[in-house]
Amino acid sequence: MEDMEDDSLDTKDDHNHNCCASSSSKVRTYLRSQLSGVATVPQPACPLVPGGEPGTRRGKLWSGSTGGSKFMDSDSGSESSEVSETDCTAPPAAVEGKFTLESTSKFLLNAMAVEDYRKNHWPNLEKAIDRLLIQNPTDHISVSYAQIYSYVYKCVCQQHSELLYNDLLIKLTNHLQQVSTHLQASPPEDFIENFNVALTQYTASLQCIVPVFMYLNKFYIESKLNRDLREDLMKLFADCVAEIHLSTLMPLLIKAHSMPFQVQPSTMASVVKGLYSLRPDWAKLAPALFSGFIPQINPPAVESLLPDYAAHDQKLQMDLSMNGFPRGDQSRKRASEDS
């Protein structure tokens, strides 16, 4: 009878399939003492915790149908976070070595994951970003957005969000520094046009880059940094390009605005609206310029200044007519009812 119970105890495990063979000898001693009528209870192998209970799992006796006594585990939860009898009886050096081994394993796994990111994920993302940054708005470049999104998703799931975000900022910063250098070499007569091309191309690239990095934006930038990816990337353009060349660009814009059609109206509107979207405070540098393209830049109209407004409009019409823009044929205009 005892041999059969001993064999069953050697192979018994708990509900989480944690093998109990390591403590079978102590349980076997306990059962033998109960079956032989000994009333003494063996001392626990582990030292008592401050509550007076053993440091390991607590046990209790229950009577079966055969009248014998068996040892029943009183915990119903997982014992993965508790200390086993083997750990309690083991010397401190062995326990310390176990935790050191686990820490080393986690460090090696993390290092392998970072190495995989550097060798596989980021190089593929970098190539796709390069192709998106150099494209023209009218060009069609074959890029697998699903594959890019998959790389971003894997990087975020592997806890590389911060690393990916920093690499993305560094990549775009280096690109914008090259754009700034190219603008520095532009002649004054082409500077406005070249600045508009750079701003338009960068904005169009962000329309492709931001959506594929949506997972990074949602689960890291918005939730942890409380910012938005598109706003951060547009701020990069403002800091690395627009602010550096603002002292050169603003006088050229004011001069072009005073001479109609020296620069294409669409180009003027694109540059002025782009500057206002980057930094609205820049409108204070040239209110007359920005008010021609951005509504409600100037203060509200005042009734007492209506004659001044009318005089300004008349002067504008006179300037246009003197520069070769006549008012056109007025013969078909409906006569006033007063005439």
Side-chain angles (χ1 to χ4, degrees):
M1 175 89 179
E2 293 182 7
D3 295 338
M4 295 178 62
E5 290 185 358
D6 293 345
D7 294 339
S8 63
L9 286 172
D10 291 338
T11 58
K12 181 179 178 181
D13 58 1
D14 60 6
H15 62 284
N16 285 328
H17 304 291
N18 297 321
C19 184
C20 300
S22 61
S23 60
S24 60
S25 59
K26 297 178 179 59
V27 177
R28 189 181 300 113
T29 304
Y30 178 81
L31 290 178
R32 284 172 179 167
S33 65
Q34 293 296 325
L35 292 175
S36 62
V38 179
T40 58
V41 179
Q43 295 297 325
C46 294
L48 295 178
V49 295
E53 299 176 353
T56 56
R57 296 173 306 197
R58 297 183 300 275
K60 64 181 180 179
L61 292 174
W62 64 283
S63 299
S65 59
T66 59
S69 299
K70 294 185 179 180
F71 188 77
M72 185 72 177
D73 190 359
S74 62
D75 290 341
S76 59
S78 174
E79 277 79 27
S80 60
S81 62
E82 297 183 358
V83 181
S84 65
E85 282 190 49
T86 305
D87 294 337
C88 294
T89 57
V95 177
E96 183 180 357
K98 178 181 178 181
F99 289 120
T100 303
L101 181 60
E102 292 179 355
S103 301
T104 305
S105 301
K106 292 180 179 179
F107 176 78
L108 292 176
L109 289 175
N110 185 49
M112 292 174 62
V114 173
E115 184 179 2
D116 182 60
Y117 166 83
R118 289 297 184 192
K119 288 185 177 181
N120 299 321
H121 298 315
W122 175 245
N124 293 322
L125 287 171
E126 188 176 21
K127 292 178 183 178
I129 293 172
D130 284 333
R131 301 186 66 183
L132 293 175
L133 287 174
I134 63 176
Q135 70 172 345
N136 293 321
T138 57
D139 293 343
H140 173 73
I141 297 180
S142 177
V143 177
S144 176
Y145 293 99
Q147 189 174 14
I148 301 175
Y149 184 87
S150 176
Y151 286 132
V152 175
Y153 176 82
K154 292 178 181 178
C155 292
V156 175
C157 292
Q158 294 177 2
Q159 306 298 320
H160 297 321
S161 301
E162 182 179 0
L163 191 61
L164 178 60
Y165 177 67
N166 292 333
D167 286 342
L168 179 62
L169 292 184
I170 293 174
K171 178 64 180 178
L172 294 183
T173 300
N174 294 335
H175 169 74
L176 292 176
Q177 288 175 351
Q178 296 178 0
V179 172
S180 179
T181 303
H182 177 72
L183 285 174
Q184 192 72 34
S186 298
E189 59 271 14
D190 298 331
F191 191 88
I192 297 178
E193 184 67 32
N194 291 339
F195 183 88
N196 180 57
V197 171
L199 177 59
T200 303
Q201 186 174 354
Y202 183 76
T203 306
S205 300
L206 292 189
Q207 292 179 357
C208 302
I209 294 175
V210 173
V212 295
F213 281 84
M214 178 181 63
Y215 205 79
L216 175 69
N217 186 39
K218 181 178 180 180
F219 291 97
Y220 177 72
I221 301 175
E222 290 182 352
S223 62
K224 294 187 177 181
L225 304 182
N226 295 322
R227 297 202 302 265
D228 180 72
L229 178 60
R230 179 177 176 81
E231 293 178 359
D232 287 356
L233 299 185
M234 289 302 297
K235 186 178 182 298
L236 281 181
F237 188 91
D239 295 339
C240 299
V241 180
E243 188 174 14
I244 294 176
H245 300 284
L246 189 64
S247 59
T248 302
L249 180 62
M250 197 62 70
L252 294 175
L253 290 173
I254 296 174
K255 180 181 178 181
H257 184 61
S258 64
M259 302 175 64
F261 297 98
Q262 182 181 10
V263 179
Q264 291 292 331
S266 59
T267 302
M268 287 288 296
S270 176
V271 173
V272 174
K273 291 180 180 179
L275 291 175
Y276 185 78
S277 65
L278 294 174
R279 299 259 181 95
D281 292 340
W282 286 343
K284 299 178 181 179
L285 300 177
L289 170 65
F290 282 83
S291 63
F293 303 94
I294 308 295
Q296 300 180 353
I297 291 294
N298 289 328
V302 181
E303 184 178 358
S304 60
L305 297 178
L306 287 179
D308 295 338
Y309 300 150
H312 179 270
D313 291 341
Q314 291 177 0
K315 182 179 181 301
L316 178 61
Q317 293 177 4
M318 186 65 67
D319 292 340
L320 290 175
S321 62
M322 292 179 62
N323 284 279
F325 298 96
R327 299 179 61 184
D329 187 9
Q330 302 292 322
S331 60
R332 300 184 64 182
K333 184 177 180 180
R334 187 176 64 176
S336 176
E337 294 179 357
D338 298 337
S339 58

